[in-house]
Amino acid sequence: MRKQLIYIILFLLTGAMSAQLSAQTPEKKPVRILFVVDASRSMLQHWDRNSKLFAAKAVVNGIVDSIEHIADVQVAMRIYGHQSAQPLNDCYDSKLEIPFAPYNAAAIRKKLDEIRPQGVTPIAYSMEQAIGDFGNDYKSYRNILVLVSDGFESCGLNPCEVILRMRNMGIITKSYVIGIGIDATEYSEFSCMGETMNIQDEESVQPVIDEAIARIFNSVFTRVNLLDVNKDPTETDVLMTFYDHTTGKEAFNYYHTINPRGLPDTLTLDPNLQYDMQVHTVPEVWKKDIHLDEGKLNIISEPAAQGFLRITVRGETFKGMINCIVLHNKEIVATPISNNAQKLLVGDYDIEILTLPVIRISGIKVEQNKTTTVEVSAPGYVSFNKNEPLTGAIYEYKNNQLVEIFELNDSNLKETLAIQPGKYKVIYRYNGHRDMDETHEVDFEVVTGVSQSIRL
C-alpha cells in the first residue's frame, strides 16, 4: 500500500467524523471488524448463476482484500450453521473460526473455502458469543460487526436485543447487515440490527462491497477508470497524484492497479475535499475539480490509452538510453528513451534523435498496446587531427545547401566524433592565418561501423 493512501485511510478509519462534525478532533483508535457469516443449509440454494454461499464469500473476500495491508485494521470471522446438520436444530452451532489478528486475510479466505453449509440460523446466539470475541479490551478499539446472511433468526431469539445491548455497553461502534437475496419482509426485520445492504444478484456484489467499505469507514469509496481506446477501464500501473483543489497542495500518491477480480482498484477519499487528479502518463493527463458524492461509489473516468515507442540502432545490440526529444503537439513530453521502449499516450509524435547530425521524424503514430519502432543507422567514427588550433565546422548537404552540424573545438588538437552514415564536408581555417584564401575544405564520407582519421 502506498504510504500516503494508508495515512488517509487510517485517518478516516480511526474516528473521522462526518462533514458537519469535521471540526472536532477525532479519537484515534485501531479498527476491528468482526464478520458473522451465515453457513446454514439455505446458503446452498442455487441463486442467480451460483449459490448464496458464493455471494457471501465474494463479499467478505472483497472487503478483506481491500483492507488487508492496513496495519491498524484487524478482522475476525465467526461462522454459524456449519457444524451440525439441519435436522438436529443445533441452535448453538456457532464458532469463532478466525480471531482478531493483523494481516489474517489469507486465513479468512482459506476458511471460507472450507466451510460446508448444513445447519440452522442461530443469529442471536452468535451475537451473544460475539461479545466475547471482541475481548475485555474492546474499549481500546473502534469495533464494527458485519452480519452476512440470507435469512432471519430460526431459533426463536431476538438478535436485535443483543445488538442493542452491545451498543449500549460500548462494545460495538456500528453494525451492518449484508443480505443475500433477502425479501422485503426480512429486510425490514434486519433493519433493527444495523445499516442494511442487500445483494440482489451477482452483478450487485461489487457495488455492495464498495458501499459497505464506504459506510464502515465513514468515507467516500472511489474507483479510477483509466480508459483504453474502446473506453474500457483496462489501463493500469501508472502513478496518480491527487491534489487539494482549493490549496493546490499534494494530498497523496497512488499507483493504479487492477484488483484480483479484474476491476480497477479502489481508494478511500475524504468527502470534505475537492480534488485535482494528475495521471503520470506521458504526456500527463489531468482531471480538475473532482466532486465526490457521499453514500455511493464514485467513479472517476479518464481516457489514458497507451502504446510504446522504441528507438533502436541498426546492426547493434544496444541496451542503453537513446538521447532524443519526443514532442506531442509541439510540446516536449519525453527525453531520453530507453531501448526497452517508452510508454506513451496513443497519438501522433515528432522526435528528434540527438545523433550527429540530428535525425528529425514527424508523424510517428503510437497505437494502443502496440510498439512503434524507429530504427537509426549505427554511426561511423571520424578522428580529426589538427596541426594547430583552428576555427571550423562540419557540414552536410540538405536540399543542395550546406548545413552546419558540428562546430570543431578551437583548442583541442584531436577530436573523435560518432557521425551518421553519409557525405560531409569539413571547412576550417587555422587561427594564426588571417587571409580568407587560407580557408580549407575536406570532403569525406562516413560508413557505418568504420573508423577513419582526417588530418587538417
Side-chain angles (χ1 to χ4, degrees):
M1 273 282 185
R2 283 60 58 189
K3 290 183 179 179
Q4 294 89 345
L5 177 60
I6 293 173
Y7 175 82
I8 287 180
I9 291 177
L10 292 180
F11 174 80
L12 292 165
L13 292 179
T14 54
M17 307 295 283
S18 65
Q20 293 79 6
L21 300 178
S22 60
Q24 300 182 13
T25 302
E27 181 183 3
K28 296 184 178 180
K29 292 181 181 181
V31 174
R32 296 192 304 189
I33 303 171
L34 174 64
F35 292 95
V36 180
V37 180
D38 186 346
S40 62
R41 185 173 178 81
S42 61
M43 294 292 283
L44 288 175
Q45 291 176 0
H46 187 77
W47 177 78
D48 203 358
R49 293 186 296 271
N50 287 284
S51 66
K52 292 182 176 180
L53 179 64
F54 178 86
K57 289 179 179 180
V59 73
V60 174
N61 284 333
I63 297 173
V64 169
D65 286 346
S66 300
I67 62 177
E68 65 175 316
H69 296 297
I70 304 175
D72 281 355
V73 178
Q74 297 185 25
V75 293
M77 183 171 65
R78 171 174 287 276
I79 301 175
Y80 62 80
H82 64 307
Q83 300 176 105
S84 300
Q86 192 175 48
L88 297 176
N89 197 33
D90 185 354
C91 288
Y92 303 98
D93 182 359
S94 180
K95 181 180 180 181
L96 179 66
E97 294 286 0
I98 308 294
F100 286 112
Y103 311 118
N104 61 356
I108 287 179
R109 287 192 289 265
K110 182 175 183 296
K111 180 52 66 175
L112 284 172
D113 285 339
E114 294 173 351
I115 63 172
R116 296 294 179 266
Q118 58 178 325
V120 292
T121 312
I123 298 178
Y125 176 75
S126 296
M127 298 297 109
E128 289 278 2
Q129 298 305 300
I131 295 175
D133 297 343
F134 286 109
N136 295 327
D137 58 345
Y138 60 84
K139 292 184 179 179
S140 301
Y141 298 89
R142 181 170 178 258
N143 294 314
I144 308 295
L145 188 146
V146 180
L147 171 66
V148 182
S149 178
D150 74 327
F152 203 62
E153 171 74 34
S154 67
C155 289
L157 301 177
N158 189 343
C160 296
E161 292 179 356
V162 184
I163 291 291
L164 179 61
R165 187 163 77 252
M166 294 173 76
R167 290 175 181 162
N168 292 338
M169 293 171 63
I171 294 175
I172 58 174
T173 305
K174 301 262 325 225
S175 58
Y176 301 88
V177 178
I178 299 178
I180 310 296
I182 56 178
D183 61 29
T185 302
E186 291 171 328
Y187 196 90
S188 61
E189 290 177 338
F190 276 123
S191 63
C192 64
M193 298 181 61
E195 296 183 26
T196 307
M197 293 155 273
N198 193 23
I199 298 175
Q200 300 287 3
D201 49 40
E202 289 186 22
E203 282 68 33
S204 64
V205 170
Q206 186 62 48
V208 167
I209 291 171
D210 297 334
E211 181 184 356
I213 294 177
R215 290 194 191 185
I216 291 170
F217 296 160
N218 191 27
S219 59
V220 174
F221 211 58
T222 306
R223 174 176 298 133
V224 178
N225 289 343
L226 300 180
L227 307 178
D228 60 23
V229 294
N230 298 317
K231 298 184 179 181
D232 294 323
T234 63
E235 291 291 345
T236 189
D237 295 329
V238 60
L239 180 67
M240 302 177 295
T241 300
F242 286 79
Y243 300 87
D244 184 327
H245 175 75
T246 302
T247 65
K249 292 184 177 180
E250 174 189 345
F252 62 92
N253 297 295
Y254 176 83
Y255 254 104
H256 190 277
T257 58
I258 300 291
N259 67 28
R261 294 175 298 280
L263 297 171
D265 207 353
T266 47
L267 60 157
T268 308
L269 300 179
D270 184 348
N272 302 314
L273 297 179
Q274 294 170 235
Y275 294 95
D276 294 334
M277 180 181 72
Q278 178 188 20
V279 184
H280 292 272
T281 51
V282 180
E284 62 191 20
V285 172
W286 283 85
K287 194 174 186 69
K288 299 291 188 73
D289 198 12
I290 299 171
H291 295 262
L292 302 175
D293 297 324
E294 295 190 62
K296 60 176 288 188
L297 170 67
N298 288 260
I299 297 179
I300 303 170
S301 296
E302 191 65 21
Q306 298 175 87
F308 296 88
L309 174 63
R310 173 182 287 120
I311 301 175
T312 62
V313 178
R314 186 182 302 132
E316 290 191 0
T317 304
F318 183 78
K319 295 185 179 180
M321 302 294 287
I322 301 290
N323 288 322
C324 67
I325 298 172
V326 181
L327 301 102
H328 182 66
N329 294 331
K330 298 183 179 180
E331 296 287 335
I332 295 175
V333 297
T335 179
I337 286 184
S338 167
N339 186 248
N340 292 328
Q342 169 73 51
K343 201 170 191 179
L344 299 170
L345 291 178
V346 298
D348 294 338
Y349 293 85
D350 302 328
I351 61 171
E352 296 182 1
I353 305 171
L354 304 182
T355 53
L356 185 64
V358 173
I359 299 173
R360 294 179 173 88
I361 306 174
S362 300
I364 297 173
K365 290 190 177 295
V366 173
E367 300 178 87
Q368 179 176 298
N369 297 330
K370 295 182 179 179
T371 300
T372 299
T373 300
V374 175
E375 186 179 61
V376 298
S377 298
Y381 301 90
V382 183
S383 295
F384 297 92
N385 301 294
K386 311 165 191 175
N387 291 326
E388 57 184 275
L390 54 75
T391 298
I394 302 171
Y395 298 83
E396 69 169 335
Y397 284 101
K398 279 190 175 180
N399 300 321
N400 295 320
Q401 295 180 345
L402 286 176
V403 177
E404 181 181 319
I405 65 168
F406 185 81
E407 185 172 327
L408 294 171
N409 190 297
D410 64 356
S411 58
N412 289 350
L413 295 182
K414 183 175 181 180
E415 289 184 82
T416 300
L417 304 173
I419 305 176
Q420 284 290 293
K423 293 182 178 181
Y424 301 91
K425 181 190 292 286
V426 58
I427 305 174
Y428 65 96
R429 187 196 70 197
Y430 287 111
N431 292 344
H433 300 177
R434 296 300 178 183
D435 195 329
M436 286 190 294
D437 290 340
E438 297 296 329
T439 299
H440 302 282
E441 301 179 15
V442 177
D443 290 297
F444 64 97
E445 183 174 358
V446 177
V447 178
T448 293
V450 175
S451 297
Q452 60 181 302
S453 294
I454 298 175
R455 181 162 294 280
L456 303 178

